[in-house]
């Protein structure tokens, strides 16, 4: 891992520092701002539609309450997901397919996080893989999940895919564990970078490190110095500009 190279910038839930998270507006803004990729969270409706939303419920981000798994797609689509941001009023919950279509011409990478750690959403992995294959997106996605059973299942369903082991808090020996699961990358929370030997272990296992959520300059710089592959940030425009600035020094 060579420090000093600009990390890729992936927009966390889209450019969610400015536009309502996980909406088409947030993904379009990320592309406009020059992000290299976006990260998004996939949930599944009662009638099996793959939709983009961080929480298992819509309480925090929409003008209604309840579990996504209890809503049909048609019901969810009537709701407002502008999340209190007035200029975005009327913004709808997007499907995964709509996000891929929106970003198709941009060349951006999509980090598809399967949010199936609380609700298991039977059949979700199969649906996601089928969609990605059908859309011709195999080279442009990386899957991740806090549910490592799901990461392992994806290895079987889509051996062609890149997968990241997503985690937080302090599990030990993550790099060798991730390697055993067949992952190409680890997706630690920012604070996990502090563990002694972590960078060296990732290098030994040949794993990329894609870190979340990195917004402050101090930590962006640290990521660049450490040779991190991608930072997942709420402010892609600022991160891109700052890396550029650092590279000029
Ligand atoms: O995928 C990185 C990050 O999004 C994981 O945490 O809770 O923001 O989905 P969360
Ligand atoms: Mg996420």
């Amino acid at each position: 891992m060579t420090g000093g190279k600009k990390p890729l910038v992936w927009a966390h839930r889209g450019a969610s520092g400015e536009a309502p998270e996980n909406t088409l507006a947030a993904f379009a803004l990320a592309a406009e701002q020059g992000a290299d990729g976006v990260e998004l969270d996939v949930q599944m409706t009662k009638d099996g539609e793959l939709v983009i939303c961080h929480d298992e419920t819509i309480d925090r981000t929409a003008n209604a309450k309840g579990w996504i798994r209890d809503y049909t797609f048609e019901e969810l689509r009537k709701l407002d997901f502008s999340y209190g941001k007035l200029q975005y009023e009327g913004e709808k919950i997007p499907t995964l397919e709509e996000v891929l279509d929106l970003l198709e011409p941009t060349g951006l990478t999509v980090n598809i996080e399967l949010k199936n750690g609380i609700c298991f959403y039977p059949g979700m992995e199969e649906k996601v893989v089928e969609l990605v294959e059908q859309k011709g997106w195999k080279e442009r996605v990386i899957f991740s999940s806090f549910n490592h059973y799901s990461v392992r299942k994806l290895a079987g369903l889509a051996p062609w895919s890149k997968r990241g082991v997503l985690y937080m808090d302090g599990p030990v020996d993550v790099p060798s564990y991730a390697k055993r699961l067949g992952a190409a990358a680890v997706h630690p929370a920012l604070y996990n970078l502090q563990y002694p030997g972590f960078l060296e272990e990732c290098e030994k296992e040949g794993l990329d490190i894609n870190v979340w959520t990195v917004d402050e300059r101090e930590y962006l710089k640290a990521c660049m110095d450490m040779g991190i592959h991608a930072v997942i940030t709420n402010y892609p425009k600022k991160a891109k500009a700052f890396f550029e600035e650092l590279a000029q020094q």
Side-chain angles (χ1 to χ4, degrees):
M1 236 157 276
T2 326
K5 188 167 174 263
K6 286 181 286 180
L8 295 170
V9 171
W10 295 350
H12 183 234
R13 312 179 194 173
S16 62
E18 295 173 69
E21 64 178 58
N22 280 322
T23 60
L24 290 182
F27 299 122
L29 187 59
E32 210 180 293
Q33 294 186 344
D36 302 295
V38 304
E39 183 269 358
L40 51 77
D41 306 290
V42 183
Q43 310 270 354
M44 203 160 90
T45 65
K46 189 175 170 180
D47 50 345
E49 185 64 67
L50 298 169
V51 290
I52 310 306
C53 189
H54 179 270
D55 304 351
E56 288 73 21
T57 70
I58 57 170
D59 302 17
R60 182 176 61 85
T61 52
N63 57 343
K65 288 191 186 309
W67 294 81
I68 291 177
R69 65 177 179 204
D70 292 335
Y71 279 92
T72 63
F73 178 59
E74 201 189 332
E75 287 165 348
L76 273 185
R77 257 315 222 217
K78 296 191 180 120
L79 304 173
D80 184 321
F81 279 77
S82 61
Y83 186 25
K85 290 188 160 77
L86 284 184
Q87 74 273 36
Y88 292 99
E89 210 175 298
E91 199 62 40
K92 303 289 177 215
I93 191 169
T95 63
L96 178 57
E97 184 170 10
E98 286 170 333
V99 181
L100 298 184
D101 287 345
L102 174 81
L103 297 178
E104 174 59 38
T106 65
L108 262 67
T109 298
V110 177
N111 173 194
I112 301 179
E113 182 190 340
L114 284 75
K115 273 278 181 231
N116 51 0
I118 295 175
C119 303
F120 285 177
Y121 296 129
M124 177 187 246
E125 294 92 345
E126 286 83 350
K127 276 177 188 280
V128 170
V129 167
E130 195 187 323
L131 181 70
V132 168
E133 287 179 345
Q134 180 203 318
K135 290 274 167 190
W137 267 77
K138 281 159 69 168
E139 306 299 326
R140 286 179 58 187
V141 298
I142 174 163
F143 299 126
S144 62
S145 182
F146 283 110
N147 180 340
H148 300 168
Y149 288 89
S150 191
V151 173
R152 190 167 62 183
K153 184 171 174 183
L154 286 163
L157 284 173
W160 49 262
S161 64
K162 281 207 282 290
R163 297 163 306 277
V165 166
L166 183 53
Y167 70 100
M168 56 200 291
D169 300 334
V172 296
D173 295 336
V174 175
S176 56
Y177 165 75
K179 193 70 189 177
R180 218 166 59 238
L181 282 180
V186 285
H187 288 208
L190 177 59
Y191 51 78
N192 286 106
L193 298 180
Q194 302 173 81
Y195 288 106
F198 176 69
L199 300 180
E200 292 76 9
E201 283 169 44
C202 288
E203 180 153 33
K204 184 177 140 226
E205 302 292 358
L207 295 161
D208 285 340
I209 307 177
N210 304 321
V211 188
W212 54 282
T213 306
V214 195
D215 290 342
E216 287 90 8
R217 289 163 75 95
E218 176 190 353
Y219 300 120
L220 289 164
K221 179 172 184 330
C223 285
M224 183 153 153
D225 291 343
M226 282 186 259
I228 295 302
H229 177 254
V231 295
I232 302 176
T233 177
N234 296 321
Y235 297 95
K237 188 178 177 181
K238 284 188 195 163
K240 283 299 279 192
F242 185 52
F243 285 144
E244 206 50 60
E245 193 183 314
L246 289 175
Q248 302 302 320
Q249 287 172 6

